[in-house]
Amino acid sequence: MSCERQTRQEQIDLQLGRAGWAVGSRRLVEELLVEIASEVHEPEGVYHRTVNKFVDYALLDRLGRPLAIVEAKRSSRDPLAGERQAAEYADALRAKHGTDPFIFLAN
């Protein structure tokens, strides 16, 4: 059973590189910061907060806009476990950049 970092280095990074998305290039960003807005319901009322989270991989176009995101999970987990998380990231990127990125789930 490997950890997510090991899965990324041994499998996902290699596959992305073969597809032309070399790790370290300007068009492939690892750990892209996204701000997730949420509502918190308290007895005193509802308030909004922003939480910083990180997309595992963002594939960018020539203008730096996200074309796709890749959500990585360790190889022992079902890749669909990251589906909700990736959709949340895609929504935040859509709100910020006006593009609707593809979502890829990997383990």
Side-chain angles (χ1 to χ4, degrees):
M1 177 170 19
S2 63
C3 67
E4 181 181 318
R5 173 68 51 199
Q6 185 179 0
T7 299
R8 290 171 65 171
Q9 289 174 343
E10 294 177 359
Q11 297 176 24
I12 300 169
D13 291 355
L14 293 175
Q15 292 176 15
L16 285 171
R18 282 189 216 121
W21 300 94
V23 173
S25 76
R26 292 185 322 190
R27 294 190 58 207
L28 172 66
V29 178
E30 290 186 84
E31 304 293 325
L32 177 70
L33 175 69
V34 292
E35 295 178 342
I36 307 294
S38 65
E39 288 185 351
V40 178
H41 298 270
E42 296 286 337
E44 306 84 38
V46 177
Y47 66 93
H48 299 273
R49 70 178 181 158
T50 302
V51 178
N52 291 332
K53 297 194 177 184
F54 294 91
V55 173
D56 291 326
Y57 298 91
L59 310 179
L60 308 177
D61 67 12
R62 288 175 287 169
L63 300 175
R65 297 175 302 199
L67 293 172
I69 60 174
V70 179
E71 180 58 31
K73 294 295 177 201
R74 75 180 97 201
S75 60
S76 63
R77 290 192 60 194
D78 182 344
L80 294 179
E83 185 174 15
R84 175 182 241 166
Q85 185 179 356
E88 185 177 50
Y89 296 160
D91 290 343
L93 291 170
R94 183 181 317 107
K96 182 175 181 178
H97 297 279
T99 60
D100 196 8
F102 288 95
I103 296 172
F104 295 97
L105 306 173
N107 70 345

